[in-house]
Amino acid sequence: MAREFDRSGGRSVTEEVNIEHAENPSAYPPSIQAGIPKLGETPRGWTRYPLGDLLLKVERPARLTDNQTYQLVTAKRNRGGIVAREVLRGDQIKTKTQFYVEAGDFLISNRQISHGACGLVPPQLHRAIVSNEYTAFHAKEKLEPTFLNALMHSVYFQQTCFHSSIGVHVEKLVFRLEDWLKWAFDVPPLEEQRRIVAVLETWDRAIDQTERLIASKRKRFEGLLAQYAMKFHNERTEFGALVELISERVQPGVCDVPNESTELENIEPETGRIIGSSRVSAESALRSRFKAKDTLFGKLRPYLRKVAQPSFDGICSTEIWVLRSNPKVLNPDLLFFLVQTQEFQATATKQSGSKMPRADWDLVSTTPVPCPRAMDQQIRAAALLDSALQSIHPELKRLDAHRAQKRGLMQKLLTGEWRLDGRFEPAALTSRAVLPGDAA
């Protein structure tokens, strides 16, 4: 029942959409596009403007009242958009220089814009507040706000953000707003902007529908897991009596080990998928060795629920527990699900007060977990849970494909390489499917 995982990145690309990835130097995280921003010839019918001719900076100072509550927002990295933070009283907000934002503002985090922290303020966050570490803009009449929200995903846009920042460390860059506003951008007429947005929104709807289906199937899996825990509640055994914590350490470059390692970021939360791998060198830190069908559990920030059961031998970060079942008392496939039960998760995620909490093995090993004593019952339970989990994986691949196709479309449409005619008017797209090959 070993689960096969995609180690190439988990992305599929259709023949119709060819994704052209810009290479990121290894010194930078994936959120950064460090290449030199270059514009080719302006597409026919488009106009080249300095960014400052397209955006208008807006400021709405907020006078905080101690006993009044305020909604705070933040800009997520990797172009994750504008999302809510906490709601605080005025006397709880340390930075007193705050500004209101309104729905439709294009908001950037001056500290994190090089990492893609920007986006349109959604209607539900109208009149929220941000500190002076953010800048809000209105799109001028030449630019549709929704087109700007798509444009921020282009490689060129990301590169201009990075090259408008200075500093010696990628996490401490200082953004120079005036320099950024001088960069030139090629922009299509408003009607073509609307067509581009309408096409991309069809992919957004497909992505949203697939995410909803994944969430529904995930709830079914969690329900079955809860039923399993209730059924065998009276057959609980201390976790440490069922498994062994493997602590075989290896030094990359010294021992006979692969030059790739599974790190925390390679384990996709809640899905059990291992996405890609990380390169290691002789100078790298110690790693742990694991075997196929061991269970990997991310002990650093365990609330992230990073759990995997690899189908291959390898090495991993020491921030990951390598757990191996005692074959006399525990089926290895069931172990993968035991660490996802409420009993185990509740103990593993107990906070230690640290900003980077780690699960405590001494505490976890004494936690009673539901485990039938009969091996045939363990096998049947694992098979049922695995079937529910495996039903999610085709949808995850479909979601990967939709996202990859949208990225490819954006690079084609936002550079003018693919052009859209009247067939792609927003009203026309509501009555028919859109195919990438339709673009002219």
Side-chain angles (χ1 to χ4, degrees):
M1 197 187 298
R3 280 157 282 275
E4 294 295 333
F5 300 100
D6 180 3
R7 303 185 69 196
S8 65
R11 300 185 177 95
S12 59
V13 183
T14 62
E15 292 181 358
E16 293 87 352
V17 180
N18 178 31
I19 305 230
E20 298 175 354
H21 293 287
E23 292 295 328
N24 281 312
S26 59
Y28 301 111
S31 56
I32 290 218
Q33 288 285 357
I36 303 298
K38 294 180 181 179
L39 284 177
E41 184 177 345
T42 301
R44 177 175 49 84
W46 290 28
T47 307
R48 183 166 293 184
Y49 299 101
L51 189 58
D53 287 357
L54 300 171
L55 299 179
L56 175 66
K57 184 179 178 181
V58 291
E59 293 184 348
R60 308 179 191 91
R63 292 186 177 181
L64 302 184
T65 302
D66 285 352
N67 61 356
Q68 183 176 337
T69 59
Y70 300 88
Q71 174 68 67
L72 280 68
V73 300
T74 187
K76 294 183 69 175
R77 288 164 62 142
N78 287 294
R79 290 147 296 280
I82 308 303
V83 297
R85 288 179 59 192
E86 64 266 60
V87 176
L88 297 177
R89 295 191 313 272
D91 60 336
Q92 294 175 312
I93 299 173
K94 295 181 180 180
T95 303
K96 299 303 179 181
T97 306
Q98 299 283 330
F99 298 86
Y100 288 108
V101 295
E102 296 185 352
D105 285 353
F106 185 73
L107 186 64
I108 69 172
S109 166
N110 297 327
R111 287 193 173 189
Q112 297 289 321
I113 182 61
S114 58
H115 291 276
C118 58
L120 288 183
V121 176
Q124 63 269 27
L125 295 178
H126 182 71
R127 298 296 286 180
I129 63 171
V130 293
S131 72
N132 57 4
E133 293 180 355
Y134 288 80
T135 303
F137 297 95
H138 273 173
K140 293 185 179 180
E141 66 279 357
K142 309 178 187 72
L143 189 64
E144 282 282 341
T146 50
F147 180 80
L148 173 60
N149 206 45
L151 188 64
M152 73 178 187
H153 292 275
S154 70
V155 172
Y156 178 78
F157 184 98
Q158 297 169 47
Q159 290 172 339
T160 64
C161 293
F162 178 75
H163 284 276
S164 300
S165 305
I166 59 172
V168 297
H169 192 282
V170 71
E171 296 296 340
K172 298 179 181 179
L173 296 176
V174 176
F175 184 60
R176 298 182 294 189
L177 179 62
E178 295 305 318
D179 289 354
W180 184 55
L181 294 175
K182 294 175 184 177
W183 286 98
F185 281 78
D186 290 331
V187 177
L190 288 174
E191 61 270 17
E192 189 169 354
Q193 292 182 36
R194 297 184 187 113
R195 292 170 187 167
I196 290 172
V197 170
V199 168
L200 295 178
E201 284 179 347
T202 64
W203 259 260
D204 287 334
R205 287 193 291 272
I207 289 170
D208 180 66
Q209 290 172 0
T210 307
E211 287 176 336
R212 289 173 183 269
L213 182 56
I214 290 171
S216 176
K217 291 191 172 187
R218 179 73 194 179
K219 285 185 177 179
R220 177 176 178 271
F221 165 73
E222 291 173 348
L224 288 173
L225 190 61
Q227 289 178 22
Y228 160 83
M230 289 178 61
K231 181 177 181 179
F232 298 105
H233 179 75
N234 294 328
E235 293 189 65
R236 292 184 298 168
T237 304
E238 284 192 359
F239 187 72
L242 300 171
V243 305
E244 178 185 0
L245 177 62
I246 305 300
S247 57
E248 183 182 355
R249 302 287 190 255
V250 294
Q251 177 70 51
V254 176
C255 300
D256 181 21
V257 296
N259 62 355
E260 294 183 352
S261 175
T262 298
E263 306 297 306
L264 280 171
E265 61 266 24
N266 300 130
I267 300 177
E268 193 172 56
E270 297 190 340
T271 70
R273 296 197 301 175
I274 297 179
I275 306 297
S277 59
S278 300
R279 304 282 296 181
V280 294
S281 65
E283 293 76 24
S284 298
L286 289 172
R287 296 292 191 272
S288 298
R289 192 189 298 272
F290 63 80
K291 294 182 179 180
K293 301 198 74 172
D294 284 344
T295 289
L296 307 182
F297 181 85
K299 67 175 182 179
L300 178 65
R301 292 184 293 181
Y303 54 82
L304 295 177
R305 298 173 68 94
K306 294 199 169 188
V307 184
Q309 188 190 47
S311 58
F312 52 89
D313 295 352
I315 59 173
C316 64
S317 163
T318 54
E319 295 294 358
I320 298 173
W321 278 339
V322 178
L323 305 174
R324 188 170 300 161
S325 65
N326 179 343
K328 294 181 180 180
V329 294
L330 180 62
N331 176 269
D333 291 316
L334 187 58
L335 170 57
F336 175 71
F337 299 107
L338 286 183
V339 297
Q340 299 181 64
T341 59
Q342 184 177 356
E343 290 90 341
F344 186 91
Q345 288 289 327
T347 303
T349 56
K350 283 186 176 178
Q351 300 300 303
S352 61
S354 169
K355 292 182 178 179
M356 300 288 281
R358 289 173 171 80
D360 184 335
W361 175 253
D362 290 337
L363 191 60
V364 164
S365 64
T366 59
T367 299
V369 292
C371 181
R373 296 178 181 84
M375 189 63 67
D376 62 332
Q377 288 184 310
Q378 293 186 22
I379 293 172
R380 286 198 299 270
L384 178 63
L385 292 167
D386 185 68
S387 177
L389 190 59
Q390 290 298 317
S391 72
I392 304 174
H393 287 181
E395 307 307 328
L396 291 169
K397 290 182 179 179
R398 186 173 293 111
L399 181 62
D400 289 339
H402 288 331
R403 288 173 172 168
Q405 291 163 12
K406 184 186 174 185
R407 285 195 298 270
L409 276 172
M410 284 193 295
Q411 297 307 322
K412 299 291 187 181
L413 296 176
L414 296 177
T415 59
E417 184 176 346
W418 284 0
R419 306 299 295 273
L420 302 175
D421 55 28
R423 294 173 297 167
F424 295 90
E425 289 296 330
L429 294 180
T430 60
S431 60
R432 73 179 185 86
V434 180
L435 298 176
D438 288 344

